[in-house]
Amino acid sequence: TQSTWGFSTNRVTMSKINSEFLRKSIEEILADAKTKNRGFLETVDLQIGLKDYDPQKDKRFSGTVRLPHVPRPRMAVCVLGDAVHMEQAQKLGVDCMDTDALKKLNKNKKLIKKLAKKYDAFLASEALIKQIPRLLGPGLNKAGKFPGLITHQDNLADKIAELKSQVKFQLKKVLCLGVAVGNVGMTDDQLRQNITMTINFLISLLKKNWQNVRTLNIKSTMGAPKRIYG
């Protein structure tokens, strides 16, 4: 199942999670980050443990949801662009590559792996997106980073902001998932809204909804995990 929904943060299918407990856990994470001041903007992740799912037999789900507050403002994005998008990306100070630069990688698996590792996400012009399998092979796809599409009607800055606001779920071979839902620079309320929306969306993707959830934890990059369910 593949879906992209913009959920309302107020739609609560989260009755299984004690809202007071969630609020307290968020407060503790933010207070810990402030006290320890680790010198970088820590990401807050939602860690999910699933149950009663067989990745071998059951249909693997994937889906993307756009959150109200950008979880990873420093997320590294690269534009694989035609002349128009290359110019726009350069003006925005965003890394970009054209067809010639991609051809120079010469389908070298090591170089493509390095490229996939360097960036969190990619956007590609309409003219280029169809050529990516031919130019790069399956490398970006394998890394779960196949580029999103940009057209000349799109505003590139808005597209990048949208990408930075997205959470992507993709069940692979293991029953543990982790997604970035915020950062320690956010307010309690912004984090709560992002976490609520992410969980609501996850539940909508699962075959048996809450019955497929074993545990939910939230944690900052360097902080201790806080169990909020299970």
Side-chain angles (χ1 to χ4, degrees), residues 78-89 96-99 102 122-132 146-152 154 156:
C78 181
V79 173
L80 311 178
D82 57 19
V84 174
H85 288 137
M86 287 291 288
E87 193 183 330
Q88 288 176 3
C96 52
M97 296 174 82
D98 59 10
T99 316
L102 296 178
F122 295 86
L123 288 169
S125 306
E126 216 164 353
L128 251 82
I129 207 157
K130 294 168 190 144
Q131 298 178 50
I132 284 171
F146 193 80
L149 173 69
I150 33 168
T151 68
H152 291 165
D154 291 324
L156 187 59

Side-chain angles (χ1 to χ4, degrees), residues 44-88:
V44 176
D45 287 338
L46 174 70
Q47 299 174 329
I48 301 131
L50 299 176
K51 62 178 181 180
D52 301 335
Y53 234 102
D54 184 345
Q56 304 301 324
K57 292 180 191 162
D58 293 327
K59 197 171 182 184
R60 293 188 196 176
F61 60 80
S62 72
T64 306
V65 64
R66 184 176 183 174
L67 300 180
H69 312 287
V70 175
R72 295 165 71 194
R74 295 178 189 163
M75 179 180 178
V77 177
C78 181
V79 173
L80 311 178
D82 57 19
V84 174
H85 288 137
M86 287 291 288
E87 193 183 330
Q88 288 176 3

Side-chain angles (χ1 to χ4, degrees), residues 9 15 19 58-59 68 83 91 96 108 110 131 137 164 169-170 187 190 195 198 200 204 222:
T9 43
S15 52
S19 57
D58 293 327
K59 197 171 182 184
K91 277 183 187 164
C96 52
N108 180 317
K110 268 189 184 166
Q131 298 178 50
K164 289 181 178 183
F169 285 110
Q170 199 163 12
T187 65
Q190 287 173 331
I195 291 166
T198 305
N200 283 347
S204 76
M222 306 295 284

Side-chain angles (χ1 to χ4, degrees), residues 3 30 54 68 117 119 122-123 181-182 195 199 213 222 224:
S3 42
L30 295 181
D54 184 345
K117 215 173 175 180
Y119 297 101
F122 295 86
L123 288 169
V181 288
I195 291 166
I199 294 171
V213 181
M222 306 295 284

